[in-house]
Amino acid sequence: MLFHDRADAGRQLANRLRQFRSVNPLVLALPRGGVPVGYEVARGLCAPLDVLAVRKLGAPWQPELGVGAIAEGGVLVVDAPLVRELGIATSALEEIAEREMAELERRVHVYRGGRPLPAVEGRTVILVDDGVATGSTARAAIRAVREHHPRQLILAVPVIAAETARDLGREVDKLVYLHAPEVFYAVGCWYELFPQTTDEEVASLLELAREAALHSVPARESSAPAAAGDPAEVSIPCEAGLLEGFLAIPPAPHGLVIFAHGSGSGRHSPRNQHVARVLQHAGLATLLLDLLTLDEEQEDALTGHLRFDIGLLARRLVAVTRWASGAPLTRGLPVGYFGASTGAGAALEAAAQVPELVRAIVSRGGRPDLAGERNLARVRAPTLLIVGGRDEEVLELNRQALALLGADRRLVVVPRATHLFEEPGALDTVARLAAGWFAQYLVLNESEVRV
């Protein structure tokens, strides 16, 4: 086994392709199995992702044995020597091609919904699949892309049969792979987990990639120094005492994101600290704070009742927002809320109370329903709800809340992610989506001047 699953293979492949990050490539994945790989490649390169529909033509008595392939645009590739060797009649091959063309057209409709193939001419195109055995589908895809005149065509796969690599390498500008075993057997042999990829997973990954591209912020290397330096500790007064927080301000910030943590969490949450660092790199100031005082936290550790008091947490968030609007370092900065779990409910309720102060909201695995129907309808800040695909109960609650929100809103589902987004790459996806959303909506109007 070389890879745990397709996502693992895609992350490794993206690392190998980092040299192409600066040329703004277009990633085209071969459905269905190539899409989870292509998604990770596109995410790693901050590149757009789409599909190039290709179907293998299988031998009549052994469908897994490819004797050719078809690609959208009418490209047909046939392994003539193999067809002759197997004695496949022309009429039988035509029947197979007709059947596979119908399936190909169905997939194009499901995955793109009538959208055309993205513009390819003059671009660097990275063609991705989860592996290549005989190369018939890859060859059809290569020829289909060539008809659109790309500036450079790269075939990138985690694993490819060595003999096929030697043949296909002559048909592309560059062939990039991680492994090319001489004895290949089948693509699935090189993965620990190799389930059938569903239409639903493909469509979900494509939608997620489109959301990321729409709100994309150029990624930086994880080893880059923090843009804001070490966060400063701040104490913010409230009716019950002082709320403790970490305030980080990068040079020339264009907004401030205040974090509303989930139940039992606080400013030390490693997940929210990770998201905060990404936002800082994107030019946003961040304020991670505890919405309970130290005495209240001690009390709540025994009773657990304050952390679920959404009304109290919302009032605290409003107080902090008013404080930030007048504090010297943050005065005049457009404010956004990042809410996690129950903190999302508090963020939405607070935004309903002070719509003039809150420009945008992002919820990570949140419980927006806890804000209540009345408050959801009063929210005016554009709201992005991010939920893990495996967090089924919370996902349904978010869908219900989405219909009640009175503002511009969007729901993005991160495939395979659970409630805490602990899966590899899941939290990075959340952070990039959040950065893009805030970059779009935390913008000063021309008539506004920061004092």
Side-chain angles (χ1 to χ4, degrees):
M1 303 296 179
L2 297 173
F3 313 106
H4 175 64
D5 57 12
R6 291 182 177 92
D8 173 44
R11 287 189 289 272
Q12 293 189 44
L13 190 59
N15 190 55
R16 183 67 61 86
L17 292 163
R18 289 167 65 185
Q19 60 182 302
F20 299 103
R21 204 173 184 183
S22 61
V23 300
N24 187 30
L26 169 66
V27 178
L28 293 178
L30 304 192
R32 289 180 290 199
V35 176
V37 180
Y39 172 77
E40 296 295 339
V41 170
R43 192 176 69 86
L45 301 182
C46 297
L49 170 70
D50 214 310
V51 292
L52 180 71
V54 182
R55 291 291 293 171
K56 177 172 62 179
L57 304 181
W61 54 88
Q62 190 178 347
E64 289 304 312
L65 176 60
V67 297
I70 55 173
E72 57 180 300
V75 172
L76 172 65
V77 172
V78 176
D79 188 338
L82 182 57
V83 168
R84 287 194 298 269
E85 180 183 339
L86 297 175
I88 302 174
T90 301
S91 58
L93 190 62
E94 290 175 349
E95 182 180 339
I96 295 169
E98 184 177 351
R99 183 174 64 248
E100 295 300 338
M101 179 59 75
E103 173 61 16
L104 183 147
E105 291 173 352
R106 183 195 71 82
R107 291 190 178 191
V108 170
H109 177 73
V110 169
Y111 303 151
R112 287 216 208 97
R115 290 184 299 105
L117 187 71
V120 167
E121 185 174 357
R123 297 195 66 174
T124 294
V125 176
I126 301 178
L127 200 59
V128 178
D129 203 356
D130 54 7
V132 177
T134 64
S136 58
T137 54
R139 188 170 281 109
I142 290 167
R143 294 182 186 177
V145 174
R146 286 291 190 202
E147 290 190 355
H148 294 274
H149 310 293
R151 183 175 69 84
Q152 185 180 25
L153 177 55
I154 300 157
L155 176 62
V157 292
V159 60
I160 183 172
E163 183 178 356
T164 305
R166 289 188 284 270
D167 291 338
L168 285 182
R170 294 189 287 267
E171 298 195 24
V172 293
D173 297 304
K174 190 173 184 62
L175 174 63
V176 178
Y177 57 84
L178 301 176
H179 301 279
E182 292 289 346
V183 181
F184 191 82
Y185 298 115
V187 173
C189 294
W190 308 100
Y191 288 80
E192 183 179 359
L193 299 176
F194 198 71
Q196 184 85 348
T197 305
T198 65
D199 282 344
E200 291 75 16
E201 183 177 4
V202 170
S204 180
L205 288 171
L206 290 174
E207 176 63 22
L208 183 60
R210 283 192 289 271
E211 290 289 342
L214 181 63
H215 306 301
S216 64
V217 174
R220 303 191 182 192
E221 304 301 326
S222 59
S223 58
D230 294 329
E233 295 187 12
V234 294
S235 297
I236 303 169
C238 70
E239 83 288 351
L242 294 175
L243 304 177
E244 305 297 329
F246 295 141
L247 176 64
I249 303 180
H254 55 81
L256 168 67
V257 177
I258 301 175
F259 282 67
H261 304 289
S263 57
S265 185
R267 68 189 189 278
H268 295 288
S269 164
R271 285 180 292 276
N272 284 341
Q273 287 187 358
H274 176 82
V275 173
R277 285 192 293 271
V278 173
L279 298 184
Q280 292 157 23
H281 285 308
L284 291 161
T286 61
L287 176 57
L288 290 84
L289 77 156
D290 301 331
L291 292 174
L292 300 178
T293 67
L294 293 177
D295 289 340
E296 288 172 334
E297 285 183 357
Q298 292 178 0
E299 176 188 346
D300 193 60
L302 299 175
T303 65
H305 70 289
L306 291 177
R307 69 185 67 176
F308 296 107
D309 188 339
I310 303 302
L312 170 67
L313 301 180
R315 290 193 297 274
R316 295 286 172 81
L317 198 52
V318 168
V320 170
T321 305
R322 294 191 186 282
W323 171 87
S325 67
L329 293 177
T330 54
R331 182 187 299 121
L333 287 177
V335 172
Y337 288 160
F338 183 93
S341 189
T342 55
L348 287 160
E349 183 168 334
Q353 295 178 24
V354 285
E356 73 281 4
L357 295 181
V358 183
R359 298 285 189 89
I361 303 167
V362 173
S363 164
R364 171 185 66 80
R367 290 289 309 277
D369 56 295
L370 296 177
E373 294 185 12
R374 182 170 176 270
N375 284 316
L376 289 173
R378 294 169 56 203
V379 172
R380 293 293 174 262
T383 301
L384 174 64
L385 307 176
I386 307 173
V387 188
R390 293 178 179 172
D391 194 5
E392 296 179 0
E393 182 178 352
V394 172
L395 177 56
E396 179 56 30
L397 292 171
N398 273 256
R399 285 174 174 150
Q400 295 171 15
L402 187 75
L404 297 169
L405 281 167
D408 293 339
R409 73 273 196 200
R410 196 180 301 271
L411 171 65
V412 176
V413 180
V414 180
R416 302 184 300 275
T418 51
H419 185 63
L420 296 179
F421 296 86
E422 296 175 308
E423 294 71 24
L427 195 60
D428 289 327
T429 298
V430 170
R432 288 190 58 208
L433 287 169
W437 191 261
F438 288 128
Q440 181 180 5
Y441 290 107
L442 295 190
V443 179
L444 288 170
N445 298 326
E446 291 183 5
S447 60
E448 295 175 309
V449 178
R450 187 184 174 203
V451 180

